[in-house]
Amino acid sequence: MVLPKESVVHGSQASHPSRATPQTDVQPHELPGLDRLLHLPGCVALVAEHGHRLVTDEARALLAALRKQAVAQQLPASQIAPDVLTTALAQRVLARLQPAMRTVLNLTGTVLHTNLGRALLPEAAIVHVQAMMAQPNNLEYDLASGQRGDRDSIVESLLCQLTGAEAATVVNNNAAAVLLSLAALAKDREVIVSRGELVEIGGAFRLPDVMESAGTRLVEVGTTNRTHARDYEHAICERTALLMKVHTSNYVVQGFTASVDETALATIAHAHNLPMITDLGSGALVDLAAWGLPREPLPQEMLRAGCDVVTFSGDKLLGGPQAGLIVGRRDLIDRIRRHPLKRALRVSKLLLAALEATLRLYLRPERLTQDLPTLRLLTRALADIEATASAVQPALQAALGPLWRVEPVALQGQIGSGSLPIERLPSAGLAMAPVQAKGNGRALEQLAEALRHLPMPVIGRIADDRLLLDMRCLEDASLFLGQIGHLRLCSKR
Ligand SMILES: *Cc1c(COP(=O)(O)O)cnc(C)c1O
């Protein structure tokens, strides 16, 4: 396949070893020793700034790498000039200090992208986390009595108010919430679930495996497409601990289908003196339909329908930090909270601070589309997204040059994290493709790579022989515009 040769793009940090002019190669014994390197003026300055330990370690590594090149007769003399050595060492030291976790620009079109950290924290939560982490706090201390307190109490009343639950507790994520609820309420007993709801979500969360880990026995009823009330009725016996419903968040069963809704299932469970629990997955706390978005079931509706315990995520549609929220009947929540696993799955003060500040935003629902980034992005006006695409297009076209075409396009984004898997969000962005070579997969891969290697990596997606950048999640075009200058055309391949 023919590449548009001049158009391969690299991030600015990509090195371009010069092979042009043949030079005398450095022999291994001509390399400076560690001591001499560290006494070069630039290196002395590095030690003064960063300390001896880090600079020495990197100097050793640099010399070892140079020695390898020298042994292979591939080290031109220019590479060991003092200023070149100093620069190389400084680069190594700075690279070493770079955190592995970095901010990126999510232009994938998926708002809650699990690989990119799901929900963005609201400003209020960031501020609160910062304040709570810098000082001691009352994480488990009751300021009224001066006695030991319970960390759950920081968010419990808020969660109860927002969902109508009697009680609530929090663990590390929703997978933990399901695991803990089952371990506490159904250990060594049976849990009845419809075959249509045996979910696998990304990252190896498979409901049957979670059940096994919790020490419960899964009893499957119904078929993949149809499960009836009588299927549950027939399966109930003296070993049954509870009936469970799982929200099929990342897929849909369509066509000739039947399932038993929460109200009906709760009625069956309660007639047999059993609890009914629901794993909601995403669990929005407000009805997204109010903003013209597709509907996602709410925990408060599940509780009203008769569910005794509902579990859902903190960093999906709720728009907060990673967390697993468990709300429901007080006696059951108490059993869940007292289980030894709760201690292993408990949340940190960092997470609780973020969660509390996020939940408080829901006390003012009219302001949510401003205050909660997840909802702000999901409800962003199409015209606004298109305007961002237009603002970025000329600079990007100029940077890529005449061999690439950069065009505004209508796109279909998605919510992500399993929410409403088949619903699409009308969105807008830019499509990039080589002008000549049709379907040039390699050029597209190289451009995607160059974008990923920018100081603030830009993540798009390749589809239909184009690299697509969805602008829904780029609220500040200057963030991207500031990166474009770092894209470099590399003409030699
Ligand atoms: C996302 C999801 C989970 C797991 O939640 P995490 O917070 O990612 O651990 C469990 N069940 C369902 C139905 C989900 O959609």
Side-chain angles (χ1 to χ4, degrees):
M1 202 165 272
V2 189
L3 276 178
K5 280 231 167 48
E6 305 301 306
S7 65
V8 178
V9 176
H10 287 277
S12 61
Q13 307 120 313
S15 60
H16 311 295
S18 54
R19 307 172 210 133
T21 43
Q23 297 179 3
T24 15
D25 288 325
V26 174
Q27 299 305 309
H29 71 268
E30 294 171 305
L31 281 173
L34 181 65
D35 237 31
R36 221 179 89 209
L37 177 59
L38 289 174
H39 281 92
L40 293 175
C43 297
V44 171
L46 275 179
V47 173
E49 185 177 355
H50 300 289
H52 198 266
R53 174 63 173 270
L54 174 64
V55 180
T56 310
D57 284 352
E58 289 310 314
R60 275 205 192 91
L62 173 63
L63 289 174
L66 292 174
R67 182 158 296 116
K68 247 194 194 152
Q69 280 177 264
V71 168
Q73 304 290 307
Q74 279 175 359
L75 185 62
S78 63
Q79 293 297 98
I80 61 162
D83 58 329
V84 175
L85 286 175
T86 307
T87 307
L89 183 55
Q91 274 172 355
R92 272 181 171 272
V93 167
L94 289 184
R96 198 60 199 271
L97 291 172
Q98 277 264 326
M101 190 190 248
R102 299 158 62 191
T103 52
V104 305
L105 293 178
N106 172 12
L107 305 191
T108 61
T110 300
V111 175
L112 296 170
H113 198 300
T114 297
N115 304 146
L116 304 180
R118 288 194 187 159
L120 301 183
L121 270 195
E123 183 64 22
I126 295 166
V127 169
H128 194 52
V129 165
Q130 214 161 24
M132 290 307 101
M133 293 311 103
Q135 291 285 330
N137 55 50
N138 62 336
L139 177 68
E140 288 186 352
Y141 186 80
D142 180 3
L143 289 169
S145 66
Q147 306 289 310
R148 188 200 159 117
D150 182 339
R151 62 180 68 202
D152 276 358
S153 65
I154 289 171
V155 290
E156 183 171 18
S157 64
L158 256 177
L159 275 171
C160 290
Q161 185 186 342
L162 294 171
T163 64
E166 289 175 10
T169 185
V170 188
V171 287
N172 184 55
N173 54 26
N174 187 40
V178 175
L179 175 73
L180 177 62
S181 301
L182 292 172
L185 304 179
K187 180 148 172 53
D188 298 329
R189 297 174 66 208
E190 295 179 355
V191 173
I192 303 175
V193 188
S194 160
R195 287 197 172 90
E197 299 172 6
L198 295 174
V199 180
E200 169 179 322
I201 59 162
F205 176 102
R206 284 180 150 193
L207 195 70
D209 300 341
V210 175
M211 295 230 164
E212 198 184 316
S213 308
T216 68
R217 209 173 85 73
L218 167 66
V219 176
E220 304 173 22
V221 296
T223 60
T224 305
N225 58 330
R226 289 173 74 81
T227 302
H228 306 280
R230 60 175 183 276
D231 295 323
Y232 290 98
E233 301 264 15
H234 289 157
I236 292 174
C237 65
E238 71 281 358
R239 295 182 302 276
T240 307
L242 51 86
L243 307 189
M244 182 174 189
K245 246 189 116 61
V246 184
H247 184 54
T248 57
S249 46
N250 52 4
Y251 67 100
V252 283
V253 183
Q254 273 180 332
F256 184 55
T257 63
S259 62
V260 181
D261 70 16
E262 284 76 11
T263 310
L265 195 57
T267 307
I268 297 170
H270 297 159
H272 292 86
N273 260 324
L274 296 170
M276 196 283 246
I277 81 174
T278 293
D279 173 22
L280 254 198
S282 205
L285 283 178
V286 286
D287 185 356
L288 299 181
W291 294 281
L293 290 164
R295 246 192 138 270
E296 180 85 353
L298 315 179
Q300 47 269 46
E301 294 170 345
M302 298 292 114
L303 292 170
R304 273 203 303 276
C307 296
D308 299 291
V309 171
V310 179
T311 64
F312 54 103
S313 280
D315 58 353
K316 292 185 182 172
L317 281 171
L318 193 144
Q322 176 187 304
L325 310 178
I326 312 176
V327 298
R329 242 167 67 190
R330 179 172 310 285
D331 61 323
L332 299 177
I333 297 293
D334 280 343
R335 275 167 65 190
I336 290 169
R337 192 180 278 145
R338 282 197 304 268
H339 192 277
L341 261 181
K342 169 66 167 48
R343 175 62 179 78
L345 301 173
R346 79 177 184 189
V347 291
S348 71
K349 59 180 178 176
L350 210 150
L351 198 150
L352 268 174
L355 182 61
E356 184 193 1
T358 305
L359 290 173
R360 274 196 201 285
L361 296 177
Y362 282 89
L363 298 178
R364 301 191 291 181
E366 295 85 354
R367 298 181 44 121
L368 274 177
T369 51
Q370 299 157 56
D371 295 347
L372 197 70
T374 298
L375 203 54
R376 196 170 68 225
L377 292 172
L378 288 175
T379 58
R380 196 172 165 204
L382 185 57
D384 197 23
I385 304 172
E386 287 167 349
T388 305
S390 305
V392 170
Q393 192 265 344
L396 195 55
Q397 178 68 75
L400 292 181
L403 294 175
W404 286 85
R405 205 194 329 269
V406 181
E407 289 174 324
V409 276
L411 294 172
Q412 298 290 313
Q414 50 186 320
I415 295 178
S417 286
S419 301
L420 311 151
I422 53 169
E423 304 280 358
R424 288 289 177 264
L425 298 173
S427 192
L430 296 174
M432 297 173 287
V435 170
Q436 298 162 335
K438 264 202 202 108
N440 195 324
R442 213 166 99 79
L444 289 174
E445 291 291 349
Q446 285 171 336
L447 180 57
E449 188 185 344
L451 289 168
R452 290 198 307 273
H453 283 91
L454 288 167
M456 189 183 291
V458 171
I459 319 289
R461 65 189 148 102
I462 293 174
D464 304 328
D465 296 327
R466 297 174 306 175
L467 178 54
L468 303 175
L469 301 178
D470 187 310
M471 297 295 164
R472 175 178 294 277
C473 295
L474 184 69
E475 290 183 285
D476 178 359
S478 71
L479 279 182
F480 190 16
L481 291 170
Q483 299 298 308
I484 291 174
H486 296 274
L487 269 177
R488 289 281 174 270
L489 291 172
C490 171
S491 49
K492 275 191 222 112
R493 290 291 298 174

